[in-house]
Amino acid sequence: AQKITQTQPGMFVQEKEAVTLDCTYDTSDPSYGLFWYKQPSSGEMIFLIYQGSYDQQNATEGRYSLNFQKARKSANLVISASQLGDSAMYFCAMREGPPRADGLTFGKGTHLIIQP
Amino acid sequence: SAVISQKPSRDICQRGTSLTIQCQVDSQVTMMFWYRQQPGQSLTLIATANQGSEATYESGFVIDKFPISRPNLTFSTLTVSNMSPEDSSIYLCSVGPSGGQETQYFGPGTRLLVL
């Protein structure tokens, strides 16, 4: 079974609208972390936001927020007021085990295109 | 956040040859990771490189094909050995958390094309 599932291969969104990118995960480890990265066409991996499994509140970073629903094992990324520069691949990833301990498992990604 | 550089940024190689990719970090970090991103695909973890110990490889990756060095806390190399066209990928290094922030930062990647 896939550990990280991103069900939206591609999305088209109008500029200034809010965007929700879906991510579900599968782990039996009580300690884990969830990450979102943005990869523009230039190829670099840009860290957006992190949520730890024991964090009580949903993470937020500027226009990015993470809708963490632990019981449903989902960690959706919400981008408010989308901009043309948000067009990119977005990857959800998970670290299993204690913080600082391990590499990441990535989902297949969602290709987001913001239309003017 | 850590500043990570990789050399070379891109290369075109002949099958059967080997390429060593360097990863340099501007601060000392305990954990460094190597990933592969095949064309149009997501990232896959190759191995974890800790200073002073052997690298730990993920399923499907072996030391003979991808030897890794980690001589100090700011530097690591990944060698892609006896290359074939299937090794054409972007290879990225990343570093584990430093300071208080829980995250992993990535280098700019090395784009490898094997002919």
Side-chain angles (χ1 to χ4, degrees):
Chain A
Q2 288 188 43
K3 287 195 177 268
I4 295 286
T5 302
Q6 295 182 252
T7 58
Q8 306 151 310
M11 286 185 70
F12 289 87
V13 173
Q14 289 296 119
E15 190 180 8
K16 299 187 177 65
E17 289 185 352
V19 181
T20 297
L21 305 180
D22 295 340
C23 174
T24 57
Y25 59 92
D26 182 25
T27 181
S28 57
D29 200 315
S31 179
Y32 54 90
L34 297 157
F35 302 74
W36 277 93
Y37 289 88
K38 172 184 179 181
Q39 187 177 44
S41 56
S42 55
E44 75 251 49
M45 291 291 288
I46 301 169
F47 166 75
L48 296 178
I49 198 165
Y50 167 80
Q51 180 86 41
S53 60
Y54 295 116
D55 293 344
Q56 295 295 315
Q57 297 197 344
N58 288 344
T60 60
E61 290 284 350
R63 292 189 299 115
Y64 304 106
S65 60
L66 200 152
N67 184 1
F68 181 45
Q69 298 189 42
K70 196 169 182 176
R72 301 176 68 177
K73 293 189 173 180
S74 75
N76 298 339
L77 177 71
V78 180
I79 307 174
S80 63
S82 59
Q83 303 170 356
L84 296 177
D86 294 332
S87 295
M89 283 294 292
Y90 288 80
F91 292 99
C92 179
M94 178 172 64
R95 180 217 71 238
E96 294 180 274
R100 305 168 183 268
D102 221 338
L104 304 181
T105 301
F106 282 79
K108 293 184 184 297
T110 296
H111 189 191
L112 176 64
I113 297 174
I114 307 298
Q115 297 176 312
Chain B
S1 64
V3 176
I4 307 166
S5 60
Q6 287 185 234
K7 289 181 182 179
S9 58
R10 58 179 66 231
D11 207 341
I12 301 173
C13 300
Q14 298 296 320
R15 69 173 67 208
T17 63
S18 298
L19 176 72
T20 295
I21 301 167
Q22 299 178 6
C23 180
Q24 180 77 53
V25 190
D26 70 340
S27 58
Q28 294 185 336
V29 293
T30 303
M31 309 191 74
M32 295 179 77
F33 307 94
W34 287 97
Y35 292 82
R36 179 176 74 182
Q37 186 175 24
Q38 294 176 300
Q41 304 296 316
S42 183
L43 280 74
T44 302
L45 179 66
I46 298 172
T48 300
N50 291 333
Q51 193 264 339
S53 63
E54 295 281 334
T56 304
Y57 290 83
E58 298 298 307
S59 175
F61 297 97
V62 295
I63 187 171
D64 289 347
K65 176 67 175 178
F66 297 102
I68 287 171
S69 78
R70 181 80 200 272
N72 57 53
L73 291 174
T74 63
F75 187 78
S76 179
T77 67
L78 169 75
T79 298
V80 186
S81 303
N82 188 24
M83 289 185 284
S84 66
E86 291 71 35
D87 294 319
S88 299
S89 296
I90 301 174
Y91 292 87
L92 301 104
C93 70
S94 78
V95 301
S98 60
Q101 190 174 25
E102 172 65 40
T103 189
Q104 288 190 18
Y105 293 105
F106 282 81
T110 295
R111 293 176 184 267
L112 172 61
L113 176 63
V114 184
L115 302 177

